[in-house]
Amino acid sequence: MLDLKLIRENSALVKQAIANKNEKANIDNILELDETRRVAQFNFDQMKAEQNKVSKEIGMRKKNKEDASDLLAKMPEVAAKIKELKQTLSEADEALNEAILWVPNLPHESVPVGKSEDDNQVIRQWGEKPSFDFQPQDHVVIAEKNNLLDLERGAKLSGSGFPVYTATGAMLERALINFMLDLHITKHGYQEMMVPTIVNPSAMKGTGQIPKLKGDMYHIEEEDMYLIPTGEVPLTNFYAGEILKNKDLPQKFVGFTNCFRREAGSYGKYTRGLQRLHQFNKVEMVRFVKPQDSWNILEEMVQDAEDVLQALGLHYRVLKLCTGDTSFASAMTYDLEVWAPGADKYLEVSSVSNFVDFQARRANIRFRNYEGKVEFLHTLNGSGLATPRTIIAILENYQNADGTFNIPEVLKKYIPTLN
RNA sequence: GGAGAGGUGGCCGAGCGGCUUAAGGCGUGCGCCUGCUAAGCGUAUGUAGGCUAAUCCCCUACCGAGGGUUCAAAUCCCUCCUUCUCCGCCA
């Protein structure tokens, strides 16, 4: 969330930023709620100070065996008044806290203003589109010919969007996950984490999925818990509510998790094969850094994700998202899009974001700086990578005329039947 | 799921209705002293909100979370979360 002081003192700027992000948070309402809350706080503090003073006096008199009945007589009224003020205060608090959760992060000033994905900027490309002397097939066809997927039986078990990876398909998926984890651990220095896939509402609030994206997630009613839409949630909330030591920063986590998304309302979008799933696998990178470092780290993380695609030999491009396409909690986001010759388009396989102190404020993650003062830290995350579309790209880029495909060199040692 | 014992400041740990503005210790910062080091002495040392020129003072909240009793709650009562031990169930 945003600093209330910032909203108070720069409301025009905040309003403009919200408009640029295609969001609709009501800043005037928040300013009113803030004012109401501060008045309530003031009234409560005053009355409470009075009560503390008199209560102390009563204690003194009783200790000295003096009569305190005159004070005692008027105190129930004060206590009742305090109860009332406390109620008013907590209502004001609640209203403000609820409202501010709907305010998105401010986009960084360098983020291009734009309405939709059409306004995103291509920053750079790597490699080039492969050429084929035959008509390249789409990944579903290749998967079928090589017994890699069983989408129908997945649908039988769960529904559409829940693929079964079969035989070499399963091994390829596992190989890819292990390869990516190993790369980030050994080459980029991340610490591996294995985290829960089901989290509580407070974690979801911490990273910004709640309240805005509540409907996009699977909810377990019995326990009031959520299936994570991304490893970002448990990894970032790992330090929720804590004050880290200066020497504990920076920290870099990488973790493999299943991800679950309801994808409600995405009917009509391109969903063939592995393109858009309810359950998929992802290796996620999360960083906790000092505020002054986060913009450099963002660039570094994009490179970490790019390394995966480069090692796999897949042509891709890097996009800087415009304000309208930058997610609720992010200040700046780069997307990596890999080329899929069968589908004849670029597919998003990674999203790398700097949240600055937005998530840290929500999740209350702070650190003691070198002066010993407590400060919110900055969080970043990036996919490194999501597997389904990476698999699509591998199959389609490495396909042969006879319908078979080659395994990228770096994955071979992870496939048991090849060793 | 059942029974019992806990959850206090950076850490250990006392307190179990008002003398706690949370004892004491450890750690840490600063100062003094000591011709090094160690020890010693003094002093400071939480987070958040308000007030303010101010990281001074002052006021308020916070002793796992939320309610309640009381003039007054770390302390009493209730609910929940969580840790440990034992039992049950179980991959």
Side-chain angles (χ1 to χ4, degrees):
Chain A
M1 62 186 160
L2 297 183
D3 186 1
L4 254 175
K5 273 195 188 118
L6 178 81
I7 297 179
R8 220 182 278 150
E9 288 157 17
N10 294 293
S11 58
L13 183 100
V14 174
K15 283 178 189 173
Q16 184 58 54
I18 292 170
N20 289 346
K21 262 196 156 180
N22 297 336
E23 296 277 351
K24 290 196 211 61
N26 187 339
I27 292 302
D28 290 328
N29 180 239
I30 285 172
L31 291 174
E32 263 174 50
L33 290 170
D34 176 46
E35 186 57 32
T36 306
R37 193 204 63 86
R38 280 191 295 160
V39 168
Q41 178 82 56
F42 180 80
N43 292 338
F44 174 78
D45 284 359
Q46 292 274 303
M47 196 54 73
K48 194 68 188 165
E50 168 71 11
Q51 185 190 53
N52 286 347
K53 211 177 90 190
V54 178
S55 285
K56 198 165 278 182
E57 174 66 18
I58 291 171
M60 290 292 288
R61 287 204 199 169
K62 291 214 165 182
K63 188 180 138 198
N64 298 330
K65 311 264 191 228
E66 291 168 9
D67 178 46
S69 54
D70 57 325
L71 297 179
L72 279 169
K74 67 171 189 179
M75 287 315 277
E77 196 187 333
V78 173
K81 187 81 186 158
I82 284 175
K83 200 167 181 177
E84 218 175 277
L85 291 170
K86 189 180 177 185
Q87 177 70 19
T88 308
L89 176 59
S90 62
E91 277 167 13
D93 249 330
E94 206 175 312
L96 179 62
N97 290 337
E98 155 68 19
I100 203 168
L101 286 179
W102 288 90
V103 180
N105 199 1
L106 307 179
H108 186 260
E109 54 189 20
S110 76
V111 173
V113 175
K115 285 269 172 252
S116 71
E117 58 184 19
D118 300 331
D119 301 316
N120 295 339
Q121 291 177 351
V122 177
I123 300 290
R124 61 177 172 272
Q125 313 200 24
W126 185 88
E128 44 190 67
K129 296 180 185 174
S131 57
F132 296 89
D133 49 14
F134 57 92
Q135 179 62 43
Q137 299 292 332
D138 128 280
H139 78 281
V140 176
V141 175
I142 303 166
E144 200 167 310
K145 282 186 177 156
N146 294 277
N147 185 29
L148 304 176
L149 292 172
D150 196 330
L151 301 177
E152 291 75 17
R153 290 199 174 90
K156 179 170 72 180
L157 298 172
S158 308
S160 75
F162 292 92
V164 173
Y165 298 82
T166 54
T168 303
M171 287 188 285
L172 182 61
E173 176 76 2
R174 184 158 57 87
L176 187 57
I177 293 163
N178 281 331
F179 160 68
M180 294 193 292
L181 284 171
D182 287 357
L183 180 76
H184 294 312
I185 293 162
T186 60
K187 187 175 173 195
H188 304 142
Y190 285 82
Q191 176 189 324
E192 183 172 1
M193 304 288 275
M194 208 171 271
V195 290
T197 328
I198 298 177
V199 301
N200 58 34
S202 144
M204 284 299 182
K205 208 188 297 176
T207 28
Q209 281 74 19
I210 283 182
K212 200 205 157 194
L213 304 171
K214 208 170 176 177
D216 295 348
M217 298 182 298
Y218 288 100
H219 181 241
I220 300 165
E221 192 142 357
E222 190 91 351
E223 315 282 350
D224 190 18
M225 302 270 272
Y226 293 88
L227 271 66
I228 58 169
T230 156
E232 161 196 357
V233 179
L235 287 171
T236 305
N237 281 286
F238 183 76
Y239 284 123
E242 299 192 32
I243 299 175
L244 304 185
K245 297 192 176 96
N246 190 53
K247 67 175 168 66
D248 290 337
L249 292 180
Q251 294 228 19
K252 36 207 304 195
F253 292 163
V254 65
F256 155 70
T257 69
N258 296 299
C259 300
F260 303 89
R261 299 185 182 178
R262 291 185 59 220
E263 297 293 347
S266 64
Y267 299 107
K269 292 189 181 172
Y270 199 76
T271 57
R272 181 170 164 81
L274 299 180
Q275 281 217 48
R276 187 174 295 274
L277 301 169
H278 290 302
Q279 176 175 340
F280 63 97
N281 298 318
K282 182 154 61 69
V283 168
E284 183 79 359
M285 307 175 282
V286 166
R287 302 257 210 144
F288 301 88
V289 306
K290 293 176 187 171
Q292 65 269 24
D293 299 329
S294 67
W295 295 108
N296 287 335
I297 298 291
L298 176 64
E299 301 299 324
E300 198 179 300
M301 286 184 83
V302 174
Q303 195 58 60
D304 292 343
E306 285 182 63
D307 273 0
V308 176
L309 291 173
Q310 290 181 12
L312 291 170
L314 298 170
H315 163 59
Y316 65 87
R317 61 184 191 184
V318 180
L319 267 57
K320 184 172 183 173
L321 301 191
C322 72
T323 55
D325 208 25
T326 300
S327 70
F328 179 80
S330 172
M332 195 193 289
T333 300
Y334 290 105
D335 273 6
L336 265 53
E337 292 188 338
V338 71
W339 176 247
D344 192 34
K345 62 179 183 183
Y346 288 96
L347 301 175
E348 181 193 333
V349 285
S350 177
S351 195
V352 186
S353 302
N354 184 2
F355 301 93
V356 297
D357 60 356
F358 188 83
Q359 291 182 328
R361 282 180 189 279
R362 287 193 165 225
N364 198 22
I365 310 172
R366 294 171 294 176
F367 77 105
R368 213 171 281 283
N369 64 24
Y370 69 97
E371 290 179 294
K373 286 185 187 164
V374 175
E375 234 187 298
F376 287 105
L377 48 74
H378 282 193
T379 60
L380 303 96
N381 71 46
S383 351
L385 313 163
T387 62
R389 294 175 191 162
T390 308
I391 294 282
I392 293 176
I394 290 171
L395 297 182
E396 295 186 2
N397 281 281
Y398 283 86
Q399 64 181 300
N400 302 313
D402 62 359
T404 60
F405 70 101
N406 303 323
I407 305 277
E409 209 52 44
V410 291
L411 296 184
K412 282 185 177 165
K413 67 169 178 176
Y414 293 100
I415 310 254
T417 50
L418 294 182
N419 296 305

